[in-house]
Amino acid sequence: MITRISAVWLISFWLISFAVGTTVHAQTFPSKPVRIIVPFPPGGAADVTSRLLGEQMAKGLGQPVIAENRPGAGAVIGYELGARAAADGHTLLVVFPSFVINPSVKPGLKYEPLKDFRAVGQTISVPMVFAVNPSVPAKSLEELVALARAKPGEIAYGTPGAGTTHHVIGELFRLTANINIVHAPFQGGGPAIAAAVGGHLPMVLANVSEVVAFAKGGKMRSLAVTTAERAEAMPEVPTVREAGYPEVESTNWSGLVVPAATPPAVVARLNIELASALGNAEVREKFKTYGMTPAPGTPEQFNAFLQSESTRYAKVVREAGIKAD
């Protein structure tokens, strides 16, 4: 029979062993190069920003941090690869809103974002903007709503594709404003904007960074940004909250996660190096050219954010009947 003293000794021994094991794990990590799985092709903003962060994180980690592009199936290939990676901190996965949207629009996925992964930290926040071709007789979001109500089903809005962040937020706007606008999916934000600039599409919901040059050139008219504060690149454009639709407030974002069984001490170390990288002046300036804002925070904050975004998007997908391509 285990005596009370023996039980106390066993518990103390377990606690000491756990603490020592955690310390050793943190001290020995990383023991080899670290990779960041990027679920998109080389050359895009996701690829460039991951490489920038990797270069900076490598300085603190003392090991190379290599971006590995694994595109395909709307980022699903990369996400599922990340779920199967060893839970030792040597494989990170860069995720976007599609990470938590996909389970609602694509059945049969081999990953569950909130169960199979542990959050490391958010990396960036990207404002989106509702913009129209100058021929559209609407100079504000309120006027666009009035126009849509006068012409139900005649106004189409373009996005980078079905099931994307832009699509979900566009449908959230449609439901919130109680208007009949039609989704027009494209293969990327660039083609959607080109169609709007060319007069073939009245409206887009796109990243501010993709629209700003056309807006300054008078080829597009920006109506409202989706962020809580006005976008630095478009300070004259009101927010959706100012326009009377605070429910539509949102950002296009990115962050880093690791497999769920990764030790907490390793996650904490990765978060420290990520925060340091996001605070680097060169990184911040480069992000600015892409219209991105660094968004450092704790693993707990990013985990809570992922949970809230997952719940929010799932509700919109269900109510709007959104399907992916």
Side-chain angles (χ1 to χ4, degrees):
M1 179 180 292
I2 298 178
T3 64
R4 184 174 183 275
I5 295 177
S6 297
V8 171
W9 183 88
L10 285 172
I11 293 172
S12 300
F13 177 78
W14 180 85
L15 290 172
I16 293 171
S17 298
F18 177 79
V20 171
T22 300
T23 302
V24 169
H25 220 114
Q27 290 176 344
T28 58
F29 172 82
S31 58
K32 59 183 179 179
V34 175
R35 67 171 176 163
I36 301 177
I37 297 175
V38 183
F40 293 97
D47 178 62
V48 172
T49 54
S50 295
R51 293 181 189 280
L52 274 172
L53 289 174
E55 289 172 7
Q56 293 300 321
M57 291 176 69
K59 297 175 182 179
L61 291 171
Q63 289 282 357
V65 179
I66 304 163
E68 180 181 314
N69 300 94
R70 299 302 291 267
V76 170
I77 288 177
Y79 293 157
E80 292 185 344
L81 181 64
R84 298 194 300 270
D88 58 7
H90 291 93
T91 298
L92 296 98
L93 172 68
V94 58
V95 298
F96 303 84
S98 58
F99 181 64
V100 292
I101 293 173
N102 282 344
S104 296
V105 299
K106 295 183 178 182
L109 292 179
K110 297 178 182 177
Y111 79 91
E112 293 187 49
L114 303 180
K115 292 183 179 180
D116 296 336
F117 295 91
R118 182 188 293 268
V120 172
Q122 188 173 345
T123 55
I124 58 170
S125 174
V126 182
M128 295 176 284
V129 61
F130 289 96
V132 296
N133 181 280
S135 65
V136 176
K139 293 181 172 58
S140 67
L141 203 61
E142 298 96 317
E143 290 184 7
L144 178 73
V145 170
L147 184 64
R149 286 174 179 164
K151 298 182 178 181
E154 294 185 26
I155 297 177
Y157 72 96
T159 72
T164 59
T165 321
H166 307 77
H167 181 197
V168 176
I169 297 305
E171 289 300 285
L172 176 59
F173 171 61
R174 179 181 67 80
L175 293 171
T176 302
N178 191 27
I179 54 177
N180 183 4
I181 54 177
V182 182
H183 179 233
F186 285 77
Q187 293 299 313
I193 294 168
V197 169
H200 309 294
L201 183 72
M203 173 184 169
V204 294
L205 177 55
N207 293 341
V208 163
S209 57
E210 297 174 305
V211 174
V212 63
F214 296 105
K216 288 181 177 179
K219 296 179 179 179
M220 293 284 285
R221 182 187 303 124
S222 300
L223 304 182
V225 295
T226 63
T227 39
E229 298 179 356
R230 294 194 178 195
E232 184 177 354
M234 294 180 171
E236 75 287 355
V237 180
T239 66
V240 287
R241 180 175 291 272
E242 291 176 275
Y245 297 95
E247 302 91 342
V248 184
E249 203 167 86
S250 57
T251 63
N252 205 359
W253 50 264
S254 181
L256 293 176
V257 299
V258 290
T262 303
V266 171
V267 174
R269 175 75 188 283
L270 288 169
N271 179 266
I272 289 172
E273 301 305 337
L274 174 61
S276 177
L278 289 171
N280 179 270
E282 180 183 348
V283 169
R284 296 180 74 89
E285 188 60 31
K286 189 68 174 180
F287 279 3
K288 186 177 178 180
T289 65
Y290 284 97
M292 302 173 179
T293 302
T298 65
E300 292 76 18
Q301 287 172 328
F302 188 43
N303 180 65
F305 180 69
L306 289 174
Q307 290 180 344
S308 65
E309 288 287 89
S310 178
T311 300
R312 183 190 192 203
Y313 286 136
K315 183 175 183 291
V316 178
V317 167
R318 183 173 61 253
E319 293 179 353
I322 294 174
K323 303 292 183 183
D325 289 332

